[in-house]
Amino acid sequence: MSSPEIAETYVVRAIRAEEWPAVKALRLRALQDPVAHLAFLETYDQALAKPDSFWQERAAGCGEGAAGARQFVAEGPDGEWVGTVTMLMEEAGTKDWAGFPVDRRQGHVVGVYVRPEHRGCGLTEVLFDEALEWAWRLGVERVRLIVHEDNGRAQAFYRRVGFAPSGVTVPLSGVGDERELEMVIERP
């Protein structure tokens, strides 16, 4: 499917705060994916146990108009959410989720998911384009993401859209010798 066909088939946009039930539903679906244990830092049961107030705050914090994060979704022709990506802004002088210092303002891609029946048509690329464009508009010089060392499918996709390994690795606490790899893309 080419970009114009994707644009005719899917609507890619930022979520709205009041759409928190759909945010929750798509996240729970993502956590049931066969590779969810490699892609996400929480389990289905952990996410399911969170109160509605968590999902409401999450949607408000990364919806339209939010400054520190933006979640983008892809809606299929029937309006159903079929994919998502979230871009977090990390500020210089702070610490990231793993406790490492952030040395410059940058974007951080998290929560990438496309339902299996919608994969392979270019939709993930369109989601990434939207998220990266938002980050570039905010003036960041680079965007990064963290990917599990055993998630070859994701690593191949990230390379295809321009990300490259930075050489930084993050040990997964409590998971033996498993590591995650940082990949980055510099502003064009």
Side-chain angles (χ1 to χ4, degrees), residues 21-48 55 58 71-73 80-86 110-117 119 127 151 153 158:
V23 170
K24 177 181 178 180
L26 189 59
R27 178 65 172 189
L28 291 173
R29 184 166 189 136
L31 291 170
Q32 292 175 313
D33 190 273
V35 296
H37 67 287
L38 296 178
F40 303 110
L41 295 177
E42 72 178 334
T43 67
Y44 176 84
D45 290 337
Q46 289 168 332
L48 187 61
W55 299 102
R58 185 176 186 155
Q71 182 176 357
F72 298 93
V73 292
E80 185 175 20
W81 287 12
V82 300
T84 186
V85 64
T86 300
V110 299
V112 179
Y113 176 71
V114 172
R115 289 178 39 184
E117 63 273 22
R119 293 176 187 160
L127 281 163
N151 195 344
R153 181 183 73 184
Y158 299 144

Side-chain angles (χ1 to χ4, degrees), residues 95-162:
K95 293 192 184 248
D96 69 11
W97 65 273
F100 292 105
V102 176
D103 62 356
R104 60 178 155 168
R105 187 164 196 253
Q106 62 191 5
H108 186 157
V109 175
V110 299
V112 179
Y113 176 71
V114 172
R115 289 178 39 184
E117 63 273 22
H118 296 272
R119 293 176 187 160
C121 69
L123 179 59
T124 311
E125 288 89 338
V126 173
L127 281 163
F128 262 71
D129 287 348
E130 193 73 20
L132 288 168
E133 181 58 34
W134 182 73
W136 303 144
R137 278 195 315 268
L138 292 179
V140 302
E141 294 175 19
R142 82 173 196 158
V143 171
R144 72 181 187 138
L145 55 84
I146 307 293
V147 60
H148 194 282
E149 64 186 344
D150 293 335
N151 195 344
R153 181 183 73 184
Q155 288 180 46
F157 170 77
Y158 299 144
R159 280 186 178 92
R160 197 169 61 249
V161 295

